[in-house]
Amino acid sequence: MARRIPLTRPRPPALSRLGRELAAIEDSGFYSNYGPVNARLECAFITQMFGSQGYCVTACNATIGLMIALRHVARRRRGSCNFAVMPSFTFAAMPHAALWAGLTPLLIDIDPQTWLPLAEAEERMLRQHGEQIAALFPYATFGNNLDLDRYDWLSRQYGVPVVVDAAGSLGSTTDDGRAFGAGFAHPVVFSMHVTKAFATGEGGLIYSADESIIAALRAMGNFGFGEPRSATMPGLNAKLSEVGALLALAKLYGFTSVVAHRATLGVAYRDLLPDFTFQHLNGRLHALQFMPVLLPAALAAQRAEIVAELGRQGIGTGTYFQPHIAEQPFFGETCMVDRLDATQDVAARILSLPISDDMDIEDVERVCAVLREICRRY
Ligand SMILES: Cc1ncc(COP(=O)(O)O)c(C=O)c1O
């Protein structure tokens, strides 16, 4: 009997093997409040991942990180709609974060090849809605690289702030091998959720090359205390616990080989499914969380049956992101929606195939053979 291959098999660092480090936390008396383990973690991220360039602050998860980043940077006009321009092909955390930050999500289409927010739609929204655009809120879809120089240019050209959702991008690198986001002045928010390649459990990281942004977000994440125990700005509790920081510190060691292994599995999927459509990836390495692929258009209507049959044969799959944001009831009522032609097509055909740290090429071969065989029946 072939072993089951789940969509993801989370592998956070084993807390049971971190007894000495846990005892050190107990001895220190610091359990939270940006304690010593958290300080070591932030320093390690900057030196080991971001080439000693820029600043960062941790958060208890990426959603809270996005909320405070948007709340901090968004330009707002009293009495008018304040839009956050974001793709509809994304996860619910994005529109929720915008709504909590007092903004109205303005949902736009994606590029049909890269599945990144459609540049033409972003620029049309900026021309059409002018200062009603409170922030650009792009998503680095599935760890793919956004063109951050272009967002820098758009920000200067239109005087609009930017917050990047890079939930799945810890480990993704640009063409010149730098970490995605390195050197970018606007906040870039990463997730350490257990389903990501950088799996810890719950956790977030906000990066910016602008020290003042990180200082403000650190204060916002600590109840808005700009002065000792005195709120000088909006705030909430966004702090990562010391145990959460310890897990992330442990995850950093050896993480490059995790990303490289996942990338090798991704290449195998592409080689073994030549008749399927894959995301066009910008950059060098991608921290693959799972392997998204588009079914041939003729098979889109059979997706539920294909998923069910894969499941019966022991292969876990997903359909991220379907339903996309505009299709979800709450967001249908709370968001503004532009044309979504590519989003509809991609969401209708998307199938997320398994990737995990302990899969090997034979597992990928089996997934692809079973998928090809099922598809041949239709
Ligand atoms: C695109 C996107 N944004 C934000 C998040 C939220 O991350 P977290 O679970 O760390 O809050 C996720 C989580 O999966 C995501 O996929």
Side-chain angles (χ1 to χ4, degrees), residues 75-94:
R75 61 177 183 187
R76 294 146 186 282
R77 289 184 353 145
R78 255 177 210 286
S80 76
C81 226
N82 293 297
F83 294 120
V85 178
M86 73 185 74
S88 190
F89 190 70
T90 186
F91 186 60
M94 285 186 79

Side-chain angles (χ1 to χ4, degrees), residues 61-63 66 90-91 93-94 139 165 167 191 193 196 202-203 321:
N61 59 55
T63 308
L66 292 170
T90 186
F91 186 60
M94 285 186 79
Y139 167 43
D165 183 326
S191 172
H193 189 262
K196 304 287 184 273
E202 292 279 5
F321 297 105

Side-chain angles (χ1 to χ4, degrees), residues 54-365:
Y55 306 86
C56 69
V57 59
T58 56
C60 49
N61 59 55
T63 308
I64 299 278
L66 292 170
M67 280 166 53
I68 58 175
L70 278 172
R71 182 75 173 79
H72 177 60
V73 304
R75 61 177 183 187
R76 294 146 186 282
R77 289 184 353 145
R78 255 177 210 286
S80 76
C81 226
N82 293 297
F83 294 120
V85 178
M86 73 185 74
S88 190
F89 190 70
T90 186
F91 186 60
M94 285 186 79
H96 275 312
L99 288 161
W100 279 105
L103 309 177
T104 300
L106 176 45
L107 304 175
I108 58 163
D109 209 358
I110 47 169
D111 177 275
Q113 260 87 46
T114 61
W115 311 345
L116 295 167
L118 187 64
E120 175 275 319
E122 282 172 330
E123 287 164 43
R124 186 161 40 78
M125 291 302 112
L126 284 165
R127 287 195 302 273
Q128 217 165 296
H129 297 285
E131 296 205 339
Q132 280 192 296
I133 305 293
L136 290 179
F137 191 18
Y139 167 43
T141 315
F142 302 138
N144 201 4
N145 281 0
L146 291 158
D147 178 354
L148 295 181
D149 288 342
R150 177 178 158 272
Y151 283 101
D152 216 14
W153 179 83
L154 283 175
S155 175
R156 278 183 275 110
Q157 181 77 5
Y158 291 91
V160 66
V162 181
V163 172
V164 174
D165 183 326
S169 297
L170 275 176
S172 290
T173 60
T174 57
D175 285 325
D176 58 8
R178 297 194 318 155
F180 174 73
F184 192 56
H186 304 268
V188 183
V189 182
F190 301 90
S191 172
M192 307 184 215
H193 189 262
V194 76
T195 53
K196 304 287 184 273
F198 196 97
T200 66
E202 292 279 5
L205 184 78
I206 312 175
Y207 171 91
S208 168
D210 183 335
E211 188 173 12
S212 67
I213 288 182
I214 295 301
L217 294 178
R218 191 183 298 283
M220 279 179 87
N222 186 28
F223 308 100
F225 289 161
E227 290 161 18
R229 301 197 68 76
S230 178
T232 57
M233 62 189 90
L236 42 67
N237 183 356
K239 290 167 291 169
L240 183 66
S241 74
E242 286 285 274
V243 173
L246 175 63
L247 282 168
L249 207 45
K251 190 74 195 177
L252 255 182
Y253 298 112
F255 183 58
T256 43
S257 55
V258 168
V259 177
H261 176 64
R262 286 169 174 255
T264 305
L265 300 178
V267 170
Y269 270 119
R270 286 171 187 263
D271 289 347
L272 292 165
L273 295 173
D275 300 332
F276 292 71
T277 306
F278 288 88
Q279 183 182 22
H280 177 94
L281 293 174
N282 304 326
R284 188 182 288 180
L285 259 185
H286 304 90
L288 297 176
Q289 182 181 352
F290 40 70
M291 192 65 198
V293 58
L294 299 190
L295 288 171
L299 294 184
Q302 274 77 47
R303 180 174 53 188
E305 293 160 45
I306 293 169
V307 163
E309 184 54 30
L310 282 161
R312 278 191 288 276
Q313 300 209 30
I315 295 166
T317 56
T319 57
Y320 296 95
F321 297 105
Q322 192 275 328
H324 61 83
I325 300 302
E327 292 175 326
Q328 299 178 31
F330 177 67
F331 300 124
E333 289 166 15
T334 49
C335 302
M336 292 273 290
V337 185
D338 190 42
R339 294 183 52 180
L340 299 176
D341 302 336
T343 303
Q344 300 289 17
D345 180 53
V346 170
R349 295 163 59 200
I350 198 102
L351 183 64
S352 328
L353 298 174
I355 285 200
S356 58
D357 297 354
D358 66 355
M359 273 177 69
D360 54 28
I361 298 291
E362 286 75 52
D363 293 321
V364 175
E365 285 169 351

